[in-house]
Amino acid sequence: VCAISPKAIVSDACASYSTLDDLNRDLRPALHNITQKTDFFAYYRLNLFGKECPFWNDESSMCGNIACAVNTLDNEEDIPEIWRAEELGKLEGPKANHPTRKLQADRPKKPLQGMLGDDVGESCVVEYDDECDDRDYCVPDDEGAGSKGDYVSLVDNPERFTGYVGEGAHHVWNAIYRENCFSKASFPKSASLGKSPFPKKGAAANEFQSVMRDHERQTSNTPPSAGLEEEDECLEKRVFYRVISGMHTSISTHLCAEYLNQTTGKWGPNLQCYKDRLHKFPERVSNLYFNYALVLRAITKLGPYLKGYTFCSGDPAQDAITKASVQALTTKAGGAPPIFDETLMFVNGEGPSLKEDFRNRFRNVSRIMDCVGCDKCRLWGKLQTAGYGAALKVLFEFDNNSEDVPSLSRTELVALFNTLARISSSLESVYDFRTMVESEETEA
Ligand code: FAD
């Protein structure tokens, strides 16, 4: 029995790809039931439209998106409207609004939102405003905004190819990876940079170029870990990088696995897309497996506390099923050999002093999601950063032997389980893609 140290390369550690693939196969049915068949986990509350990009001019990002959509999809004018990038990125289905101020004022004093450990007996699909906690790794979605958001069906809006490509998307990824450069200042939280988020001249431009060179070096086709170890990067910084890179891998996997073939109009896997973005980059795939271990460990750690949690959707019969499915998942996961050891982090060297910086940088990543210029991508980007944020909070702000249970809102729980479901489906797709590549090689 051994646990993955956060430093290990998953493919080299005792928990190999195949160990995690097997575990994933075992857990997937319960995870599928939880996220696809229960109202509690299928509706997510977020502020998708009410917040401006806090880092650069929002308009330029939207312009970038529309322009890049026209540039990248050949003869876009000639294809049916529903296939156009702008259309593909839109949300489907009705949205329930956030409760009004009056409703909130009228609500009973009893806590409704189902913080872990509360005895919640009323309908809590409608959640009220969250209070921010110092230990959060994500900004609450109502920060600085007038509107508090909508409920969106995750089942009706699957994460898949949207056509969001080009400069707009690259700006966002670059800003996210910039947060990984711990030695450098965080991305300035100001819109004063004007139309382009990236400085063109002077010291800021030089710094930006150096960030991008670092990132290119880290993501080039080198053996896993090589670049990072040469730099003697500390464990915590390395984990930060792996989390965002693994999230990027998962998004790329989904868009390649559910790709729109514009010739046939059919959705399906695009092997070339996988080869170009992931197969050539084993480190990216390794980071996906790393994230699976990390998020599953957080859910396993929460398992005992979820036994007393009321999953309230307003339908007691469904709530009982939700609870049983969650218990089935956490019990199975808890019975598996340990796959991630979080106790190694923030303990040695400069580790303890990095925790706050780590948390703040991750919060910044969650803010960057408001700069994504495609509704569906922004929905899943926000959900997944909130899910990783909840996982990090459970792992690093919650002492294994303490009575101090972290307060998790319903929104955080929904994000956490759906993020695991995303990674889980990515693992399955990567496995299928690998098999396709192998059979191509055998035939050749
Ligand atoms: P990108 O994926 O944009 O990558 C940019 C650069 O980052 C690469 O050139 C490489 O140097 C580096 N890189 C790539 N992958 C990794 C990795 N795993 N680890 C480390 N470095 C890496 N598109 C959709 O079709 N559907 C979606 O749901 C969707 N969601 C998105 C959510 C967010 C938050 C963002 C920012 C974008 C999303 N996109 C989505 C767009 C998509 O991620 C790509 O940006 C787009 O398809 C263009 O891809 P690309 O090949 O140019 O490289």
Side-chain angles (χ1 to χ4, degrees):
V1 173
C2 64
I4 295 182
S5 123
K7 192 153 192 170
I9 300 302
V10 176
S11 51
D12 298 343
C14 56
S16 61
Y17 284 180
S18 67
T19 309
L20 292 177
D21 281 337
D22 288 346
L23 184 58
N24 187 37
R25 253 174 239 123
D26 209 18
L27 300 179
R28 256 186 91 58
L31 196 52
H32 181 82
N33 285 344
I34 292 167
T35 53
Q36 298 293 305
K37 297 191 178 162
T38 72
D39 283 354
F40 185 92
F41 285 101
Y43 291 94
Y44 186 58
R45 180 175 75 114
L46 81 168
N47 193 340
L48 197 57
F49 303 104
K51 292 168 85 176
E52 285 188 358
C53 170
F55 299 101
W56 60 81
N57 188 320
D58 215 5
E59 249 173 59
S60 76
S61 135
M62 294 308 291
C63 279
N65 176 36
I66 292 164
C68 79
V70 174
N71 287 343
T72 48
L73 295 178
D74 286 343
N75 305 323
E76 177 139 352
E77 298 298 311
D78 297 338
I79 63 173
E81 208 173 317
I82 192 68
W83 291 357
R84 295 180 196 170
E86 211 187 329
E87 290 298 318
L88 288 169
K90 274 189 186 161
L91 290 185
E92 305 287 335
K95 294 182 302 246
N97 286 327
H98 184 77
T100 59
R101 274 181 196 285
K102 164 125 184 37
L103 244 176
Q104 293 205 34
D106 291 349
R107 74 172 158 145
K109 290 284 170 260
K110 196 172 167 206
L112 276 176
Q113 66 207 36
M115 303 297 253
L116 263 187
D118 284 342
D119 174 21
V120 184
E122 302 165 59
S123 167
C124 56
V125 161
V126 173
E127 238 183 335
Y128 294 89
D129 295 344
D130 302 324
E131 304 255 314
C132 184
D133 184 323
D134 280 353
R135 296 178 294 184
D136 284 347
Y137 284 70
C138 267
V139 289
D141 217 15
D142 50 4
E143 187 196 58
S147 149
K148 300 289 168 68
D150 302 303
Y151 285 86
V152 176
S153 162
L154 300 172
V155 175
D156 289 349
N157 291 288
E159 187 189 25
R160 61 184 184 184
F161 173 77
T162 64
Y164 177 51
V165 291
E167 218 190 320
H170 283 176
H171 280 172
V172 177
W173 282 122
N174 291 343
I176 290 172
Y177 284 107
R178 191 184 199 279
E179 290 303 324
N180 180 55
C181 302
F182 279 68
S183 57
K184 300 186 170 79
S186 221
F187 205 86
K189 194 184 169 191
S190 111
S192 62
L193 290 171
K195 280 217 174 281
S196 163
F198 301 110
K200 298 214 165 23
K201 286 186 186 155
N206 293 340
E207 190 191 330
F208 175 69
Q209 294 305 331
S210 118
V211 168
M212 291 321 297
R213 271 197 304 275
D214 286 352
H215 178 226
E216 283 306 324
R217 192 152 36 82
Q218 285 175 4
T219 59
S220 64
N221 195 5
T222 51
S225 89
L228 293 167
E229 273 169 8
E230 272 164 25
E231 286 167 30
D232 195 21
E233 184 135 31
C234 82
L235 174 61
E236 290 74 15
K237 295 175 187 174
R238 188 182 157 79
V239 166
F240 191 98
Y241 175 74
R242 298 195 79 176
V243 169
I244 52 181
S245 166
M247 178 175 79
H248 195 166
T249 304
S250 184
I251 290 173
S252 303
T253 307
H254 281 112
L255 76 91
C256 295
E258 285 199 67
Y259 199 89
L260 180 67
N261 180 331
Q262 286 164 45
T263 313
T264 62
K266 296 218 164 86
W267 291 89
N270 180 333
L271 186 58
Q272 195 56 46
C273 172
Y274 162 77
K275 284 183 186 167
D276 293 343
R277 293 170 193 245
L278 300 171
H279 196 70
K280 290 188 218 153
F281 304 97
E283 182 216 329
R284 295 179 188 174
V285 176
S286 157
N287 293 337
L288 174 73
Y289 279 82
F290 177 85
N291 280 4
Y292 184 77
L294 181 141
V295 177
L296 185 59
R297 166 68 192 138
I299 286 185
T300 310
K301 191 168 166 177
L302 269 186
Y305 302 94
L306 290 172
K307 279 187 186 146
Y309 187 83
T310 309
F311 295 90
C312 35
S313 67
D315 173 357
Q318 199 189 105
D319 298 345
I321 295 171
T322 306
K323 188 166 190 162
S325 303
V326 169
Q327 283 309 309
L329 178 79
T330 56
T331 308
K332 258 191 183 179
I339 52 169
F340 188 85
D341 186 358
E342 72 277 13
T343 60
L344 299 171
M345 276 184 72
F346 302 113
V347 284
N348 293 321
E350 58 175 328
S353 65
L354 277 177
K355 197 163 181 184
E356 199 181 335
D357 199 11
F358 188 104
R359 203 191 297 112
N360 285 336
R361 283 172 186 278
F362 204 82
R363 284 183 185 171
N364 246 4
V365 171
S366 75
R367 289 190 181 99
I368 293 169
M369 290 299 151
D370 282 308
C371 306
V372 173
C374 143
D375 297 347
K376 216 179 271 183
C377 312
R378 192 162 62 254
L379 163 65
W380 285 103
K382 280 181 153 228
L383 179 132
Q384 288 173 85
T385 42
Y388 287 112
L392 296 171
K393 178 162 137 182
V394 171
L395 293 177
F396 304 128
E397 304 297 326
F398 173 24
D399 189 326
N400 285 349
N401 305 313
S402 159
E403 300 277 296
D404 181 21
V405 182
S407 63
L408 282 194
S409 65
R410 172 185 171 269
T411 303
E412 285 174 299
L413 276 183
V414 174
L416 181 62
F417 277 79
N418 275 283
T419 298
L420 182 66
R422 294 288 74 212
I423 313 170
S424 158
S425 123
S426 294
L427 248 57
E428 196 174 54
S429 298
V430 164
Y431 179 88
D432 292 345
F433 277 131
R434 268 205 307 265
T435 312
M436 286 184 224
V437 172
E438 275 161 20
S439 61
E440 252 189 16
E441 285 169 356
T442 317
E443 279 166 25

